[in-house]
Amino acid sequence: MTVAKHVDLAAYVRNLKTIREQMQPARIMAVVKADAYGHGLVEVAKAAATAGINLLGVLDVETGLELRLAGVQTTAFAWVHSPSTDFEAAIRSNIELSASSLAELERIAMAPGMAKVHLKLDSGLSRGGTRIEDWDALVTRAVALDARDKIDLVAVWSHLSGTSKSADEASIALFDEATNRAFDLGFTGYRHIASSPAAFALPQSRYELVRIGVSAFGTSPIEGRKASSFDLECPMTVTAEVIAPQVISIGFLHGYFSKLSGKAKVLIGGRAYQVTQVGPLASKIEAGDYSEGDEVLVFGGEDTGAPTAEYLCELVETVTDEIFTGLKANSTIYSS
């Protein structure tokens, strides 16, 4: 039984170039966390470099070090740390680091070498970061450490919730207050707060850099609009095969949602067939003009005629991150 991911790296590169043109003059950080949203960390990171991307968002230091072992030397940014995070290895490997508190900043400064540091503000989302009332103390200490060449203070940043336009605008206002205060205290670096949704919907959130993750993999950054309306393609196509009469070789243990029973369709020979039941390792479909061994198109780009990953996730009220990162395939086939 085979389930295969087919990843078109050239489509990913085109998406990054399209987004970069739309975001100028802001730079792009290509986020490759969670195995590049299930598309393959190393392969996608190398493709990002060919698109002219010079900063990768890796989530944690361990992922950055994995890239280094694979020979990828693009500067990386890690923002989730634990007490066991190896800051020395990160500094040695050109991995820039977020500092969300005074204690974390001091740990980074104590590591051998000189880390490039991004100070994180909690802009109301509670996804880490220093609260506004403690911000001055963090910035003051970071500026002092920078002056002593203990760190290189390069950026201030935060997250947005994306729950509503008004909530994001309130967070941006708080971020503006914090960054203006940082400039007053001697900060001279750049700012970033927007991931894909805000970068497209709120131009004032772009500042000098935007963080682009799942939208570069063909997911629309704005609800109610198709990815193609932003000239974005889906680089991933997923195939299975017919393994018995009315049975295909993908199930919920592969990450194909059980709630798709009776809702989703698959494409065989250019014709759509209803999925009637999703089982653990195989699913049932309606009868039709197909044979054992025929390829089954589970999802793909809008131009394939099959359901898109976005559409499948809408059917079960989740996000494409879940199907991309949860999908377990027998093989991944790359093209470029």
Side-chain angles (χ1 to χ4, degrees), residues 140-154:
T140 298
R141 180 57 175 158
V143 169
L145 289 168
D146 181 278
R148 293 167 48 200
D149 291 333
K150 297 294 184 180
I151 65 167
D152 182 7
L153 179 57
V154 297

PDB file of all heavy atoms in Angstrom, residues 140-154:
ATOM      1  N   THR A 140      16.796  47.983  27.948  1.00  0.00           N
ATOM      2  CA  THR A 140      17.947  48.659  28.551  1.00  0.00           C
ATOM      3  C   THR A 140      19.094  47.679  28.774  1.00  0.00           C
ATOM      4  O   THR A 140      20.259  47.983  28.474  1.00  0.00           O
ATOM      5  CB  THR A 140      17.543  49.312  29.879  1.00  0.00           C
ATOM      6  OG1 THR A 140      16.537  50.303  29.624  1.00  0.00           O
ATOM      7  CG2 THR A 140      18.728  49.982  30.552  1.00  0.00           C
ATOM      8  N   ARG A 141      18.765  46.515  29.291  1.00  0.00           N
ATOM      9  CA  ARG A 141      19.804  45.516  29.542  1.00  0.00           C
ATOM     10  C   ARG A 141      20.393  45.016  28.222  1.00  0.00           C
ATOM     11  O   ARG A 141      21.625  44.848  28.105  1.00  0.00           O
ATOM     12  CB  ARG A 141      19.220  44.346  30.329  1.00  0.00           C
ATOM     13  CG  ARG A 141      20.220  43.233  30.647  1.00  0.00           C
ATOM     14  CD  ARG A 141      21.412  43.735  31.416  1.00  0.00           C
ATOM     15  NE  ARG A 141      22.298  42.637  31.806  1.00  0.00           N
ATOM     16  CZ  ARG A 141      23.583  42.797  32.105  1.00  0.00           C
ATOM     17  NH1 ARG A 141      24.143  44.015  32.069  1.00  0.00           N
ATOM     18  NH2 ARG A 141      24.312  41.764  32.458  1.00  0.00           N
ATOM     19  N   ALA A 142      19.551  44.778  27.227  1.00  0.00           N
ATOM     20  CA  ALA A 142      20.044  44.295  25.937  1.00  0.00           C
ATOM     21  C   ALA A 142      20.948  45.321  25.263  1.00  0.00           C
ATOM     22  O   ALA A 142      21.989  44.969  24.696  1.00  0.00           O
ATOM     23  CB  ALA A 142      18.870  43.944  25.025  1.00  0.00           C
ATOM     24  N   VAL A 143      20.583  46.588  25.321  1.00  0.00           N
ATOM     25  CA  VAL A 143      21.419  47.638  24.742  1.00  0.00           C
ATOM     26  C   VAL A 143      22.775  47.690  25.438  1.00  0.00           C
ATOM     27  O   VAL A 143      23.823  47.849  24.797  1.00  0.00           O
ATOM     28  CB  VAL A 143      20.690  48.998  24.808  1.00  0.00           C
ATOM     29  CG1 VAL A 143      21.636  50.149  24.468  1.00  0.00           C
ATOM     30  CG2 VAL A 143      19.488  49.006  23.866  1.00  0.00           C
ATOM     31  N   ALA A 144      22.763  47.518  26.772  1.00  0.00           N
ATOM     32  CA  ALA A 144      24.017  47.528  27.523  1.00  0.00           C
ATOM     33  C   ALA A 144      24.889  46.335  27.150  1.00  0.00           C
ATOM     34  O   ALA A 144      26.117  46.470  26.978  1.00  0.00           O
ATOM     35  CB  ALA A 144      23.726  47.521  29.023  1.00  0.00           C
ATOM     36  N   LEU A 145      24.282  45.156  26.997  1.00  0.00           N
ATOM     37  CA  LEU A 145      25.040  43.966  26.602  1.00  0.00           C
ATOM     38  C   LEU A 145      25.585  44.119  25.187  1.00  0.00           C
ATOM     39  O   LEU A 145      26.703  43.685  24.894  1.00  0.00           O
ATOM     40  CB  LEU A 145      24.149  42.728  26.701  1.00  0.00           C
ATOM     41  CG  LEU A 145      23.797  42.261  28.117  1.00  0.00           C
ATOM     42  CD1 LEU A 145      22.685  41.221  28.075  1.00  0.00           C
ATOM     43  CD2 LEU A 145      25.031  41.700  28.826  1.00  0.00           C
ATOM     44  N   ASP A 146      24.814  44.750  24.322  1.00  0.00           N
ATOM     45  CA  ASP A 146      25.275  45.005  22.961  1.00  0.00           C
ATOM     46  C   ASP A 146      26.493  45.935  22.978  1.00  0.00           C
ATOM     47  O   ASP A 146      27.470  45.703  22.250  1.00  0.00           O
ATOM     48  CB  ASP A 146      24.132  45.624  22.151  1.00  0.00           C
ATOM     49  CG  ASP A 146      24.507  45.890  20.718  1.00  0.00           C
ATOM     50  OD1 ASP A 146      25.143  46.925  20.435  1.00  0.00           O
ATOM     51  OD2 ASP A 146      24.164  45.073  19.856  1.00  0.00           O
ATOM     52  N   ALA A 147      26.443  46.951  23.798  1.00  0.00           N
ATOM     53  CA  ALA A 147      27.559  47.907  23.868  1.00  0.00           C
ATOM     54  C   ALA A 147      28.835  47.243  24.362  1.00  0.00           C
ATOM     55  O   ALA A 147      29.946  47.674  24.016  1.00  0.00           O
ATOM     56  CB  ALA A 147      27.177  49.070  24.780  1.00  0.00           C
ATOM     57  N   ARG A 148      28.684  46.177  25.144  1.00  0.00           N
ATOM     58  CA  ARG A 148      29.847  45.455  25.676  1.00  0.00           C
ATOM     59  C   ARG A 148      30.223  44.264  24.791  1.00  0.00           C
ATOM     60  O   ARG A 148      31.061  43.442  25.171  1.00  0.00           O
ATOM     61  CB  ARG A 148      29.540  44.967  27.088  1.00  0.00           C
ATOM     62  CG  ARG A 148      29.381  46.091  28.110  1.00  0.00           C
ATOM     63  CD  ARG A 148      28.769  45.581  29.416  1.00  0.00           C
ATOM     64  NE  ARG A 148      29.419  44.373  29.889  1.00  0.00           N
ATOM     65  CZ  ARG A 148      28.871  43.512  30.753  1.00  0.00           C
ATOM     66  NH1 ARG A 148      27.630  43.707  31.199  1.00  0.00           N
ATOM     67  NH2 ARG A 148      29.543  42.448  31.152  1.00  0.00           N
ATOM     68  N   ASP A 149      29.599  44.148  23.628  1.00  0.00           N
ATOM     69  CA  ASP A 149      29.857  43.049  22.686  1.00  0.00           C
ATOM     70  C   ASP A 149      29.564  41.679  23.276  1.00  0.00           C
ATOM     71  O   ASP A 149      30.192  40.672  22.905  1.00  0.00           O
ATOM     72  CB  ASP A 149      31.304  43.098  22.173  1.00  0.00           C
ATOM     73  CG  ASP A 149      31.559  44.286  21.257  1.00  0.00           C
ATOM     74  OD1 ASP A 149      30.597  44.752  20.615  1.00  0.00           O
ATOM     75  OD2 ASP A 149      32.710  44.750  21.194  1.00  0.00           O
ATOM     76  N   LYS A 150      28.585  41.632  24.166  1.00  0.00           N
ATOM     77  CA  LYS A 150      28.125  40.348  24.693  1.00  0.00           C
ATOM     78  C   LYS A 150      27.042  39.739  23.813  1.00  0.00           C
ATOM     79  O   LYS A 150      26.882  38.515  23.775  1.00  0.00           O
ATOM     80  CB  LYS A 150      27.598  40.520  26.119  1.00  0.00           C
ATOM     81  CG  LYS A 150      28.646  40.973  27.128  1.00  0.00           C
ATOM     82  CD  LYS A 150      29.716  39.901  27.323  1.00  0.00           C
ATOM     83  CE  LYS A 150      30.711  40.294  28.401  1.00  0.00           C
ATOM     84  NZ  LYS A 150      31.759  39.247  28.590  1.00  0.00           N
ATOM     85  N   ILE A 151      26.291  40.597  23.151  1.00  0.00           N
ATOM     86  CA  ILE A 151      25.291  40.167  22.172  1.00  0.00           C
ATOM     87  C   ILE A 151      25.305  41.178  21.025  1.00  0.00           C
ATOM     88  O   ILE A 151      25.891  42.270  21.141  1.00  0.00           O
ATOM     89  CB  ILE A 151      23.862  40.096  22.757  1.00  0.00           C
ATOM     90  CG1 ILE A 151      23.374  41.506  23.157  1.00  0.00           C
ATOM     91  CG2 ILE A 151      23.777  39.117  23.907  1.00  0.00           C
ATOM     92  CD1 ILE A 151      21.884  41.572  23.442  1.00  0.00           C
ATOM     93  N   ASP A 152      24.651  40.809  19.933  1.00  0.00           N
ATOM     94  CA  ASP A 152      24.398  41.740  18.836  1.00  0.00           C
ATOM     95  C   ASP A 152      22.882  41.885  18.742  1.00  0.00           C
ATOM     96  O   ASP A 152      22.186  40.972  18.297  1.00  0.00           O
ATOM     97  CB  ASP A 152      24.975  41.189  17.530  1.00  0.00           C
ATOM     98  CG  ASP A 152      24.776  42.134  16.350  1.00  0.00           C
ATOM     99  OD1 ASP A 152      24.304  43.269  16.556  1.00  0.00           O
ATOM    100  OD2 ASP A 152      25.087  41.723  15.217  1.00  0.00           O
ATOM    101  N   LEU A 153      22.368  43.021  19.229  1.00  0.00           N
ATOM    102  CA  LEU A 153      20.922  43.238  19.274  1.00  0.00           C
ATOM    103  C   LEU A 153      20.445  43.678  17.886  1.00  0.00           C
ATOM    104  O   LEU A 153      20.680  44.805  17.471  1.00  0.00           O
ATOM    105  CB  LEU A 153      20.589  44.296  20.326  1.00  0.00           C
ATOM    106  CG  LEU A 153      19.116  44.671  20.492  1.00  0.00           C
ATOM    107  CD1 LEU A 153      18.265  43.452  20.820  1.00  0.00           C
ATOM    108  CD2 LEU A 153      18.976  45.741  21.580  1.00  0.00           C
ATOM    109  N   VAL A 154      19.760  42.764  17.172  1.00  0.00           N
ATOM    110  CA  VAL A 154      19.436  43.038  15.768  1.00  0.00           C
ATOM    111  C   VAL A 154      17.976  43.363  15.509  1.00  0.00           C
ATOM    112  O   VAL A 154      17.651  43.999  14.504  1.00  0.00           O
ATOM    113  CB  VAL A 154      19.851  41.853  14.866  1.00  0.00           C
ATOM    114  CG1 VAL A 154      21.356  41.640  14.912  1.00  0.00           C
ATOM    115  CG2 VAL A 154      19.106  40.573  15.243  1.00  0.00           C
TER     116      VAL A 154
END
